[in-house]
Amino acid sequence: MSLNILDLIRGQLGPALVTQAATQLGESESGISKAISGLLPAVVGGFANHSSNPTVLDSITGSANSGLLGDLLGGSANNTYISNVLASIFGDKVAGIINAISGYAGIGTGTTSTLLNMVTGATLGSVGKYAADNNLDRSAISGLLSDQKGIVSTLLPAGLSMASLGLGDWFGDSYSEKAAATATTATATEPHVEVTRAGATHVNVDRDEVKTEGSSIWKWLLPLLLLLLVGWFLMKQCDNKETVTTTDSDSTVIVEDSANVMVDTTMTTADRGEMTAIDLNGTPLQGYANGMESRMIEFLRSGGYTNAADDEALKTTWYDFDNVNFQMGSATALEPGSEGQIQNLAEILKAYPDAKIKIGGYTDKTGDAATNKKLSQDRADFIKSELTKLGVGAQVTGAEGYGSEQAVVDASASDAERAKDRKMSVRFTK
């Protein structure tokens, strides 16, 4: 397959948009994220199942320069391209899909309907832009969409299936037969291995196979497993005697400066807390309870900046932007809702006019290293220029793009795992 278009679309559905949707629609961020994880494969499956439909192809080519990606949440509600595509790919199944996703994510049907439009808009805009950038004609677009048939059903999250969405007859008998044959072969020849996000591996052995081979296997396998377990336990006990465990109670996100290696302490969504009003000397800022703004203000109030002797005392402490996201491949186009955190940073600097900062940009390990470094530098420069427009440019001493130099996640890892390496950060300077 030439391209997994879900990777294109995910870049448009980042954390900033999830937060914006949760706020505007009155739902939890986890519910919004869960719904999007189910809607995206379904929508892409709809495009793939109707890859030669003239309405679908017209909508893709027509949306390329429509500005749809600039306002996915607000601009998708009454968009003609979106309504035409949904009618073409889902027909009378739309209500069933909305009900199934609402039950799965624990959100209202009205919210799911809005998110369905948003995800469809992201798909139209992303594919349309890709097609325009690569000069794809209608035949090539159709082929690209058709290529997705083999993967979309496997990307649905646990608890959802094409059948539960009322789409069980999609992709024709040949695809169903291939999938069934693959599943049968896998069951007959090898155990099913699952790897969790934490790295734990589970092997599910077919019960009938165990019964067939029976006691002849377990007579020697169980003692061997017990022996290995005892050996592992003894080794761990020996290791523990020589290991000193240290605990870092500072919740600030820490990375070393450009000359050193990044320390992986990236915050999770749960760590940063809920969106709330953060007190900046009597002025409320909207941000996460344990997010960038809160931590920077706490450091300034504590006298940490004032008491720092020089830049060496500050250069190892970086604060990740947790609500600033650029559109995929762009150094100047932000996802909706990202501007607010840059404005918050400007307000913090205005409240502490003696404080100075440096901007840092980072990418993951995928792609060309030189291109990544340029992109990260351009993004750091963009944030610096935005702060200058907001009147605090004199307090921004520098902007540096490190590219993938400090990335810690392997390029072969999933997009979700590599996301921790793609970020913008800020540190105090003297």
Side-chain angles (χ1 to χ4, degrees), residues 42-43 45-46 89-90 93 97 161-171:
V43 169
I89 65 177
F90 291 135
K93 298 178 179 179
I97 294 170
S161 65
M162 285 298 184
S164 67
L165 295 174
L167 309 174
D169 58 344
W170 274 15
F171 309 140

Side-chain angles (χ1 to χ4, degrees), residues 64 67-68 82 134 142 216 286-287 294 317 327 352 366 373 399 403 428:
L68 185 59
I82 293 174
N134 292 275
S142 177
S216 62
Q286 284 297 311
S294 177
T317 304
Q327 293 186 14
Y352 293 89
T366 59
K373 188 158 189 176
F428 288 110

Side-chain angles (χ1 to χ4, degrees), residues 322-347:
D322 46 42
N323 207 19
V324 169
N325 296 280
F326 287 86
Q327 293 186 14
M328 183 177 58
S330 174
T332 57
L334 294 171
E335 289 189 8
S338 297
E339 299 85 353
Q341 189 158 49
I342 298 176
Q343 294 166 0
N344 284 351
L345 180 55
E347 291 301 317

Side-chain angles (χ1 to χ4, degrees), residues 154-292:
T154 67
L155 297 177
L156 282 166
L160 282 180
S161 65
M162 285 298 184
S164 67
L165 295 174
L167 309 174
D169 58 344
W170 274 15
F171 309 140
D173 293 339
S174 60
Y175 280 93
S176 299
E177 290 171 1
K178 288 178 182 178
T182 301
T184 301
T185 302
T187 301
T189 59
E190 61 183 12
H192 177 60
V193 180
E194 297 176 354
V195 181
T196 68
R197 288 181 61 85
T201 304
H202 306 276
V203 181
N204 300 324
V205 182
D206 186 88
R207 294 179 182 272
D208 291 335
E209 184 178 344
V210 173
K211 290 178 181 178
T212 301
E213 301 192 8
S215 58
S216 62
I217 293 178
W218 292 106
K219 282 181 180 178
W220 60 266
L221 184 58
L222 278 176
L224 178 61
L225 290 174
L226 289 172
L227 183 61
L228 290 173
L229 182 60
V230 170
W232 173 84
F233 179 79
L234 291 175
M235 289 177 62
K236 292 296 289 183
Q237 290 300 309
C238 292
D239 290 341
N240 287 341
K241 293 178 181 179
E242 301 176 1
T243 302
V244 178
T245 303
T246 59
T247 302
D248 182 4
S249 60
D250 183 3
S251 60
T252 304
V253 176
I254 305 294
V255 295
E256 296 290 340
D257 204 5
S258 57
N260 301 306
V261 180
M262 190 188 327
V263 179
D264 180 19
T265 56
T266 306
M267 286 186 3
T268 65
T269 301
D271 292 334
R272 68 187 184 184
E274 296 292 328
M275 186 69 72
T276 187
I278 300 168
D279 176 46
L280 175 62
N281 302 337
T283 301
L285 302 179
Q286 284 297 311
Y288 291 104
N290 302 313
M292 184 190 81

Side-chain angles (χ1 to χ4, degrees), residues 85-107:
V85 164
L86 287 175
S88 296
I89 65 177
F90 291 135
D92 59 0
K93 298 178 179 179
V94 171
I97 294 170
I98 290 174
N99 287 332
I101 295 293
S102 295
Y104 166 73
I107 60 177

